[in-house]
Amino acid sequence: MTAQQHSPLASFTGDARPYGGGDPYADYRTADFPFTRYADLADRRLGAGVVAANDEFFAQRENLLVPERAEFDPEHFGHKGKIMDGWETRRRRGASADHPWPTADDHDWALIRLGAPGVIRGIVVDTAHFRGNYPQAVSVEAACVAGFPSPQELLADDVKWTTLVPRTAVGGHAANGFQVSVEQRFTHVRLNQHPDGGVARLRVYGEVVPDPAWLAALGTFDVVALENGGRAEDASNLFYSPATNTIQPGRARVMHECWETRRRRDQGNDWIRYRLAAQSEIRALEIDTAYLKGNAAGWATVSVRDGEDGGHGETGDWTEILPRTRLQPDTLHRFVLDTPVVATHARVDIYPDGGISRLRLFGSLTEEGTARLSARHQELGG
């Protein structure tokens, strides 16, 4: 295992106070982690899953990847004890009465298949509601394994695991964040808790690095989709929900799976800027306002530009491919372009505020885009 440097962030250690009633999140310990602007590669909506764990006696491993924050019901008990919304293992014991304590090497583990392979920028190990039964420390490793490996294949001796987070003390009832600086493409992570305990949620933030061979086989695809390597780089407002929601797979099922801004009280408008999977030729687009009924955007424009800098300001060398167009609430809007357009970045402007649930840009990679994507995929060990 190769250890890699990780940057220190706000850290939490020690027990939280026992739950005393009222809002269970009132004394929750957290911080603003800069890497959370990236997509969660362990999002089940992308296809992530917890493929195995050595123990899940008290609470199921699948809870680690539930998109919503953990809930707590103080009166919810079952035959095995307190039912927790997280992954919780039994208490470890030593080998004998003379040494009843677990050894320094004893630990529990869970294997997670990322929903989309990519470069990991940060990790949050969330121990919400685990106040006195959280692990003493955690560590996180990652591997890049092609195909669809079984748990047994992932645990084989020939699999190289890279340590992203070395064994580090964590706190109970806290969002324990770790910044990662490893320029490598990963497909799986392994969460270790030392020696035992419970973790409510695991978030693995990073940049999707798609397989160029797969995109080439598709031919025409959504070039801004998160699963294909698109990214929401910036947005004017993230008050209610993240801009990344607009490029998630499938249609929104509820309003909180959309992008919604606060109500504007000026003469401006809201926007999102995207980076496409690579340079692409766009031929059609969709704007979906599903589940936005009284708060859908009134009008929208879509613009693109071709260039690596992306035009980081609100204005720049942008070409409008959809003029300001009236949107209907809770509706899928489809537009075919008169002429295909080449771009590396896109921008949707909504007027004056509100939200959209999805943006789709259908097209195919250019020769230059294919070459750049293939080179990056190879550089990152894909």
Side-chain angles (χ1 to χ4, degrees), residues 259-306:
W259 172 60
E260 182 189 2
T261 70
R262 73 180 75 195
R263 300 189 187 211
R264 296 191 76 99
R265 303 306 188 196
D266 57 22
Q267 299 301 304
N269 73 284
D270 289 315
W271 52 266
I272 305 175
R273 189 184 70 241
Y274 305 89
R275 176 183 288 272
L276 308 185
Q279 188 189 65
S280 306
E281 184 181 79
I282 302 168
R283 294 185 287 276
L285 63 94
E286 291 180 350
I287 299 177
D288 194 357
T289 57
Y291 287 97
L292 295 167
K293 298 182 179 182
N295 49 356
W299 292 263
T301 63
V302 178
S303 305
V304 298
R305 63 175 283 131
D306 183 29

Side-chain angles (χ1 to χ4, degrees), residues 221-280:
F221 59 93
D222 181 1
V223 298
V224 76
L226 181 60
E227 60 189 322
N228 294 331
R231 177 153 58 98
E233 289 191 318
D234 199 6
S236 60
N237 188 273
L238 302 173
F239 188 82
Y240 286 113
S241 44
T244 298
N245 280 356
T246 61
I247 53 175
Q248 288 281 2
R251 297 192 73 196
R253 298 167 298 176
V254 290
M255 193 173 68
H256 68 72
E257 293 183 355
C258 307
W259 172 60
E260 182 189 2
T261 70
R262 73 180 75 195
R263 300 189 187 211
R264 296 191 76 99
R265 303 306 188 196
D266 57 22
Q267 299 301 304
N269 73 284
D270 289 315
W271 52 266
I272 305 175
R273 189 184 70 241
Y274 305 89
R275 176 183 288 272
L276 308 185
Q279 188 189 65
S280 306

Side-chain angles (χ1 to χ4, degrees), residues 31-254:
D32 291 328
F33 301 120
F35 51 75
T36 57
R37 64 187 176 91
Y38 293 99
D40 180 8
L41 303 182
D43 192 326
R44 286 196 58 85
R45 291 172 293 183
L46 286 176
V50 187
V51 299
N54 71 305
D55 186 282
E56 49 184 331
F57 185 85
F58 286 114
Q60 297 174 339
R61 64 182 191 255
E62 287 84 3
N63 289 334
L64 283 171
L65 306 187
V66 171
E68 294 78 22
R69 71 177 187 172
E71 297 181 352
F72 180 74
D73 182 347
E75 299 180 357
H76 197 189
F77 284 83
H79 293 293
K80 293 182 179 180
K82 181 72 184 73
I83 295 177
M84 297 294 291
D85 184 7
W87 168 50
E88 185 179 8
T89 66
R90 73 191 76 201
R91 299 188 187 214
R92 283 185 169 269
R93 298 295 185 239
S96 68
D98 294 332
H99 199 286
W101 311 279
T103 69
D105 294 330
D106 284 344
H107 67 279
D108 292 319
W109 53 264
L111 293 175
I112 294 92
R113 178 191 64 248
L114 298 179
V119 178
I120 298 171
R121 300 302 185 192
I123 294 170
V124 172
V125 179
D126 189 348
T127 58
H129 316 305
F130 289 92
R131 295 169 175 269
N133 50 346
Y134 60 94
Q136 182 184 42
V138 300
S139 60
V140 182
E141 304 156 278
C144 184
V145 184
F148 310 96
S150 67
Q152 292 74 24
E153 290 169 325
L154 289 170
L155 296 171
D157 293 337
D158 61 344
V159 174
K160 177 187 176 183
W161 289 91
T162 299
T163 300
L164 303 184
V165 180
R167 184 169 175 169
T168 305
V170 294
H173 196 44
N176 300 279
F178 306 93
Q179 191 157 315
V180 177
S181 301
V182 183
E183 289 298 318
Q184 187 175 335
R185 180 180 185 266
F186 294 112
T187 60
H188 295 76
V189 298
R190 177 163 60 188
L191 170 63
N192 304 304
Q193 49 176 338
H194 308 266
D196 55 36
V199 174
R201 298 288 188 265
L202 176 70
R203 307 297 187 218
V204 182
Y205 295 98
E207 300 175 55
V208 176
V209 179
D211 182 353
W214 173 251
L215 297 184
L218 292 179
T220 296
F221 59 93
D222 181 1
V223 298
V224 76
L226 181 60
E227 60 189 322
N228 294 331
R231 177 153 58 98
E233 289 191 318
D234 199 6
S236 60
N237 188 273
L238 302 173
F239 188 82
Y240 286 113
S241 44
T244 298
N245 280 356
T246 61
I247 53 175
Q248 288 281 2
R251 297 192 73 196
R253 298 167 298 176
V254 290

